[in-house]
Amino acid sequence: MKLQELESYENPIGDAQALIIRQKEAGQLTYETEPFRVLRVDAPSKNNVLLACQVANDFISIKGNGNTHIEAAHTAFQQALGSAAESVEIVNHYVRYASHDTVEGYVKFRSNGTVWTSKVVRDTRLQASFDAVADGYRYHLLQNYGRV
């Protein structure tokens, strides 16, 4: 855990957020070109995430399961994105308080030998967990497919 925290402190934003920011600033990533759109997320328990999203022209509702919100979101995205996401795995992850009223979600991903990170700060553990995973998948899709 300490090594993960040190790595996180050395990088104020994740690889995913850096790519997303660069593409938005260049006008390459817009609402219309997003690889997917999250319509709704809910977590009835820490082991389940309910995801409603739009991928291309398809509207998908998926239930993801895992030991944590991050793992549950990961399984939901793998189901929703199908073969475009089947090689993605989570290497490390954590959620911790960034301040007295914000939470940091950090996820390190790997796919076919490529490793990248996603790091977000949000108001709740669920939102930090989910957004870190969602941005990590956006990174993967943008780097490998441009979009789904």
Side-chain angles (χ1 to χ4, degrees), residues 16-45:
Q17 289 71 32
L19 176 67
I20 291 166
I21 290 167
R22 280 194 312 274
Q23 287 201 354
K24 283 184 177 181
E25 287 178 348
Q28 297 169 331
L29 184 61
T30 65
Y31 182 79
E32 291 78 23
T33 62
E34 279 278 343
F36 59 84
R37 293 187 190 111
V38 174
L39 305 174
R40 183 169 178 238
V41 63
D42 189 24
S45 73

Side-chain angles (χ1 to χ4, degrees), residues 48-123:
N48 298 301
V49 169
L50 304 175
L51 168 67
C53 64
Q54 180 182 358
V55 179
N57 292 322
D58 297 326
F59 291 90
I60 302 168
S61 292
I62 298 285
K63 179 180 178 182
N65 298 306
N67 292 326
T68 65
H69 285 137
I70 287 176
E71 292 172 7
H74 171 63
T75 61
F77 275 110
Q78 285 202 312
Q79 293 174 60
L81 300 172
S83 63
E86 67 187 3
S87 67
V88 176
E89 61 182 301
I90 291 179
V91 177
N92 287 313
H93 65 84
Y94 68 80
V95 179
R96 67 173 178 188
Y97 286 97
S99 70
H100 71 281
D101 59 352
T102 59
V103 180
E104 177 184 275
Y106 172 87
V107 184
K108 181 185 263 187
F109 296 88
R110 178 176 45 227
S111 176
N112 299 321
T114 302
V115 176
W116 69 97
T117 60
S118 180
K119 181 178 169 183
V120 301
V121 176
R122 300 291 186 264
D123 293 336

